Amino acid sequence: MTFMLQPLQHLIPTSKSCYLVEWKGRSCVIDEKRRPQNGDTVLLDMSGMYEWAMIMITPRRIITDDGLFLTDDLLEDVAVVGVVTHEVTSVHEHDDSPI
C-alpha cells in the first residue's frame, strides 16, 4: 500500500488560493480568491464568528446553515472568507463493518 501525501492541488483540480477548512462538522475546500455566484456555498466571517452559508445575489441575501436570513444592514459586518469548491465526506462509517 502506498500513501500519497501531496499538496491539495495535486489531488483535486484546485488553485493555490484553495485550502481545506473543517468547521462545525463539515470539511470543505474553499477558494479565497473566487467571487461568489448565485447559490454558492461560502464560509463567512461574521464579526469574528465563522458560519457556512448560501449566497443569493438577487435579491441580495445570505442564508446560513442554521436558517438565519441576512439582508440589508445585517450584511455590513459580514465578509466572505471563501467559496466552497468541494466538500469532503467520509466514505466509511466508524464501526467494525468491513464494507
Side-chain angles (χ1 to χ4, degrees), residues 33-93:
K33 301 286 185 192
R34 184 173 165 190
R35 288 186 57 103
Q37 302 290 322
N38 198 42
D40 279 348
T41 300
V42 296
L43 181 63
L44 299 177
D45 179 353
M46 301 186 316
S47 301
M49 296 177 56
Y50 293 97
E51 187 68 48
W52 296 111
M54 183 174 61
I55 294 280
M56 301 304 288
I57 305 295
T58 307
R60 190 170 172 233
R61 67 180 185 256
I62 295 174
I63 306 165
T64 68
D65 275 2
D66 296 334
L68 182 65
F69 274 71
L70 304 173
T71 59
D72 303 324
D73 294 342
L74 296 175
L75 296 174
E76 290 179 10
D77 296 329
V78 175
V80 174
V81 176
V83 176
V84 173
T85 61
H86 299 82
E87 187 161 353
V88 181
T89 59
S90 177
V91 294
H92 63 80
E93 297 293 323

Side-chain angles (χ1 to χ4, degrees), residues 4-37:
M4 297 174 45
L5 299 175
Q6 298 180 5
L8 188 59
Q9 298 81 17
H10 294 254
L11 301 174
I12 56 176
T14 62
S15 67
K16 292 187 179 197
S17 62
C18 293
Y19 50 94
L20 182 64
V21 174
E22 292 183 271
W23 181 250
K24 289 191 172 183
R26 200 168 170 187
S27 299
C28 296
V29 175
I30 65 169
D31 187 341
E32 65 182 353
K33 301 286 185 192
R34 184 173 165 190
R35 288 186 57 103
Q37 302 290 322

